[in-house]
Amino acid sequence: MRGPAAPTSPGPWDSRSEALLKAPALAPAPEAAEALAEAIQQPAPEPVQSSAQPPARPRRGPADPVKALMHRHRELCERAVDALEIAAGLEAHGVTDRTAARFRHRDVFSLAEELYARVPRGESPRTPAAPAAPARTPWTAWALATCAPGAVAALVATGLALTIGAARTTTGVLGALGLGAAVLAAVRRGPLRAGGRPLLATPLWTLWLLAYAAAGDGALDQLLRGGPDGAPTVVTPLDGPAGTEWLFDTGPLLALALSVAPAAWCAHLFATRARRRLAVSRGLADFAAGTRPLLLGSVALHLAALTGLLVLTGFHPGALALGTLLLLARLLAVHGFAEAADSVLMATASAEALVLASVLAARLPGCAALDTPVRAVVALWGPAALPTLICGTAALALLIHATGALSRASAHA
């Protein structure tokens, strides 16, 4: 055998092997040990340098790109009831369609389908919910609850119009308590129900905004005139023409209370259509493009209904802007964005309070210029312009935020 890889020893075996083979198989232990020691002491032949390259290591196949993501979001995948919930959860964690392309999927929805198929569910199968006997019971419950504020407000307005003196005061106090309870019941069930722990400050901001809608314009007018000199006079849509004194107008409150039912229907329409859109969409961009018109259409539908109610009860542009603001705030709270809604409501209430505070502060020595902007706006458009501008600006800002937030799949999981 010749060539660069041929052995250098004279025979087919090297010296060590030859020494071991020459030792008798049944030799005594000392002789076998001596033969083995001589073979070990002999130097090993030097390795022959070969020009052939060593065989390359086999390359590993491509790692499973979905496996790491599956382990990272295993809890989400195990408790999900369908692939849509996984898609919404992935989007909430920042996974987009572009990110899904790095996992060899065309969009987040197909990636969620693979995760749902690969992650095993719990050992115990999910027990199906028992079928409800009457299918219309849940619908009837929340429909009656959302109609309750309007019914209570109509009864209170009628009672205020038919009573005088102490009876009217008692009717107003009891009516305010009943209306508050009815509104609370309406927002705790059905489409207006917000999940999670409610924010305690939100009802306070809402109460201030409603109070300003009823008596804020008259209070501002009285402050600019140097007053007020007494308590406001309560008027209802059933009363005759009101005077120029400070009024507590229940017309905006009646219209807003009656609009709770249309608001619930619009919220229900938006939620159900968005859920259906989520089931047929094949990408986050596709879902967002189809959800934005649903949101704008629902808001426009409620705006039209509130406009008609305000025409019947006495039109107030500030109440129209306030109703739109409250609807958007509730939609955000229902779909998991209560903090943003609370922040905007707090800023709106603070702005209205600042308007009244600036007029009061202008009465201090050397502070007369503080109410100059307020007086300029009132001189041009009247006291109702300020709440319209404030609530309208807040509603527009909240609409822009809601258009982005509520068009995400995670908002409808």
Side-chain angles (χ1 to χ4, degrees), residues 9 86 124 249:
S9 58
I86 297 179
S124 58
D249 193 356

Side-chain angles (χ1 to χ4, degrees), residues 7-84:
T8 57
S9 58
W13 304 97
D14 58 12
S15 56
R16 297 184 184 182
S17 302
E18 187 176 2
L20 291 174
L21 290 174
K22 288 181 179 180
L26 301 177
E31 296 178 5
E34 291 177 2
L36 180 61
E38 291 178 0
I40 294 175
Q41 290 176 359
Q42 292 183 7
E46 296 181 359
V48 179
Q49 299 292 335
S50 175
S51 60
Q53 296 293 335
R57 293 183 178 181
R59 298 184 61 184
R60 295 182 178 180
D64 186 358
V66 184
K67 191 173 183 180
L69 186 69
M70 181 176 63
H71 286 291
R72 191 182 311 163
H73 302 284
R74 191 173 189 87
E75 183 180 355
L76 168 66
C77 299
E78 287 179 346
R79 60 181 173 83
V81 296
D82 52 20
L84 297 179

